[in-house]
């Protein structure tokens, strides 16, 4: 089970890193033209970059505390924060008519809930 939790946290970290890098470093116009990124056309540039920064922090928080052994309790806390972020993402995608991306966010939410459950509960990092 510990291995499954590490894999789940690692996969979420890759997703968070990819999303964060794109939101921080790719122009908003290019994001808005990409599938699933239509919502960025209506959002303030600072908001999009701020979400990207949060995703970059999440990528670090899902793995780094457990790897270093410094404050490993931050891993499940980060996973809970990811769940909340995915709720917002799902609402945003549904409002913009992207139900498929909302379902993808639901999958990410489920993986993050699994990590939070495992690391808060029977398998702390």
């Amino acid at each position: 089970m510990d291995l499954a939790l590490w894999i789940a946290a690692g996969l979420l970290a890759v997703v968070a890193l990819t999303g964060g890098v794109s939101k921080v470093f790719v122009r908003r116009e290019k994001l808005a033209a990409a599938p699933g990124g239509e919502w960025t056309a209506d959002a303030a540039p600072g908001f999009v970059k701020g979400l990207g920064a949060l995703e970059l922090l999440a990528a670090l928080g899902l793995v780094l505390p457990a790897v270093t052994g410094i404050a490993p309790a931050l891993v499940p806390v980060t996973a809970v924060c990811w769940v909340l972020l995915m709720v917002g993402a799902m609402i945003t995608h549904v409002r913009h008519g992207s139900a498929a991306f909302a379902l993808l966010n639901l999958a990410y939410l489920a993986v993050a809930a699994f990590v939070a459950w495992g690391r808060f509960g029977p398998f702390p990092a």
Side-chain angles (χ1 to χ4, degrees):
M1 183 60 83
D2 189 54
L3 179 61
L5 289 165
W6 271 105
I7 291 169
L11 289 173
L12 282 178
V14 169
V15 168
L17 182 64
T18 303
V21 166
S22 68
K23 288 179 185 76
V24 170
F25 297 110
V26 176
R27 287 189 347 263
R28 191 173 56 127
E29 296 78 20
K30 189 170 182 178
L31 285 175
E38 297 85 5
W39 65 271
T40 60
D42 301 331
F47 179 73
V48 175
K49 298 235 185 271
L51 281 177
L54 286 175
E55 289 179 358
L56 291 174
L57 290 172
L60 294 174
L62 285 164
V63 177
L64 199 57
V67 168
T68 63
I70 300 171
L74 288 177
V75 172
V77 170
T78 303
V80 169
C81 292
W82 188 261
V83 166
L84 297 174
L85 187 66
M86 289 302 99
V87 169
M90 288 168 41
I91 292 168
T92 300
H93 284 298
V94 167
R95 286 184 178 172
H96 284 84
S98 302
F101 285 99
L103 288 174
L104 181 61
N105 294 134
L106 181 61
Y108 296 151
L109 183 150
V111 174
F114 170 68
V115 171
W117 165 81
R119 293 303 185 203
F120 269 135
F123 304 97

